[in-house]
Amino acid sequence: MSKKVALVTGGGRGIGFGICEKLAADGFNLVLSGRSDASKVADSVAELERLGADVLYCSGDVSSADDRAAMLAEIKDYFGRLDVLVNNAGVAPQVRADILEATEDSFEWIMKINLQGPYFLTQACANWMIEQKRSDDSFEACIINIGSISATVVSPNRGDYCISKAGLGMMSSLFAARLGEFAIPVYEIRPGIIKTDMTAGVTEKYDNLIFNTELLVEKRWGVPEDIGKLAAAMARGDMPYASGQVIYVDGGLTMNRL
C-alpha cells in the first residue's frame, strides 16, 4: 500500500514546517508549497526526507488560480494521490494600520492569500478527494485549516487579518457540512501566540504579555510543534466523529476566566 500524501501550504517554515515534521514522522509523504524558490527551503526538505518522507516542493502563490492548478497537476503527476490538505499558508499585514486608516490594497492582498486562495484550493482538492473516494471506498481523507485566535480576538490595528481568519472559520464549517456525505472530515486549528518569523517583530511585546501578565494559563510561547502534534492526530484519523470542530492551541488565552 502506498503511503498517504499530505499537501501543506507554507510548509517550508514556521507552523507549516512543524506540521510537516510530525506528518513525516508518522509515515506521510509530503507536498510543500510556497512562494519561495526551492533553494530557500532545501534544508527543510532535506530534514523531512531524513525523517523518511518523499517530498515534493511546488513553488507558487496560493492566491493565483493558475499556480493552484499547476500545483495540483504536479502532485497528480508525481504522487497520483492526495489524502490530506493542510491550509496553512498565510500573511500578516505588511503595515499594522488602525482600521480608521487601513488601505484597500492591504485588505485585498490579505484576503486573496488568507481566504480566497485556501477557499478555492480546498474546492479543487475536495473534488479530487471525492473522485478518489468514489473509485476506492476505503480511501480516507481530511482537510485541516490553520486559523488563528484572531478569528474572535479583536486587534483593531490589523482588522484585515482578523476578518480573513474569521472568514476561514466559516469556510471550515461550510466544507465540513458539504463533505460529510463523502466521509471527509474538516477541522480547524486556531493557534495563539506562536514563536515564528511572523511574530519575530513583536517578540518584546509578547514576552511582556506572556511572562509579566495573566494573559495565558500556560506561561510560555507556543511553538510550531504544538500545532504539528494536533494536526498529525487529525491526519492520522485519531479524531473520528469530530468534523467541523475548532480547537484552540493558545495556552489558555481565550479561556473565560474571572
Side-chain angles (χ1 to χ4, degrees), residues 96 193 202-221 253 257:
R96 291 190 174 215
I193 303 169
V202 286
T203 296
E204 184 178 352
K205 169 187 173 181
Y206 284 130
D207 275 347
N208 180 60
L209 288 171
I210 291 168
F211 301 111
N212 299 321
T213 76
E214 298 302 314
L215 180 69
L216 302 183
V217 174
E218 299 182 43
K219 288 183 176 294
R220 69 170 176 87
W221 280 83
L253 187 154
R257 289 175 285 159

Side-chain angles (χ1 to χ4, degrees), residues 5-199:
V5 176
L7 163 59
V8 183
T9 64
R13 61 181 187 174
I15 289 174
F17 183 68
I19 293 169
C20 287
E21 283 187 302
K22 296 304 177 186
L23 291 175
D26 276 351
F28 284 80
N29 286 330
L30 294 165
V31 182
L32 284 62
S33 75
R35 293 179 294 172
S36 300
D37 182 79
S39 62
K40 298 291 182 63
V41 296
D43 289 345
S44 296
V45 170
E47 175 60 20
L48 296 173
E49 290 176 337
R50 187 189 69 78
L51 291 170
D54 189 358
V55 183
L56 171 67
Y57 180 71
C58 297
S59 180
D61 189 337
V62 72
S63 70
S64 163
D66 289 343
D67 285 3
R68 292 192 303 268
M71 176 170 58
L72 290 185
E74 195 171 352
I75 297 168
K76 287 180 180 179
D77 182 61
Y78 190 85
F79 284 119
R81 66 184 295 166
L82 181 65
D83 305 80
V84 177
L85 166 64
V86 182
N87 283 306
N88 165 75
V91 293
Q94 294 172 318
V95 176
R96 291 190 174 215
D98 187 300
I99 57 173
L100 297 179
E101 301 170 354
T103 67
E104 289 192 38
D105 286 345
S106 176
F107 188 95
E108 291 174 0
W109 178 70
I110 285 176
M111 289 299 161
K112 283 181 70 67
I113 296 172
N114 289 6
L115 185 55
Q116 182 174 326
Y119 185 93
F120 286 103
L121 179 60
T122 301
Q123 179 191 72
C125 290
N127 278 311
W128 185 12
M129 289 172 176
I130 291 167
E131 290 177 11
Q132 293 174 93
K133 183 72 174 179
R134 284 174 171 160
S135 63
D136 178 5
D137 193 56
S138 67
F139 174 79
E140 295 180 343
C142 81
I143 294 167
I144 303 166
N145 295 320
I146 308 301
S148 169
I149 59 169
S150 293
T152 57
V153 177
V154 172
S155 296
N157 65 342
R158 52 191 185 117
D160 37 19
Y161 179 81
C162 293
I163 291 171
S164 73
K165 292 302 184 179
L168 192 74
M170 175 54 73
M171 183 191 106
S172 299
S173 297
L174 287 165
F175 277 103
R178 184 65 183 88
L179 297 178
E181 68 176 281
F182 305 104
I184 299 174
V186 179
Y187 309 105
E188 183 183 354
I189 301 174
R190 289 187 182 170
I193 303 169
I194 309 298
K195 202 165 192 62
T196 67
D197 56 357
M198 187 179 285
T199 53

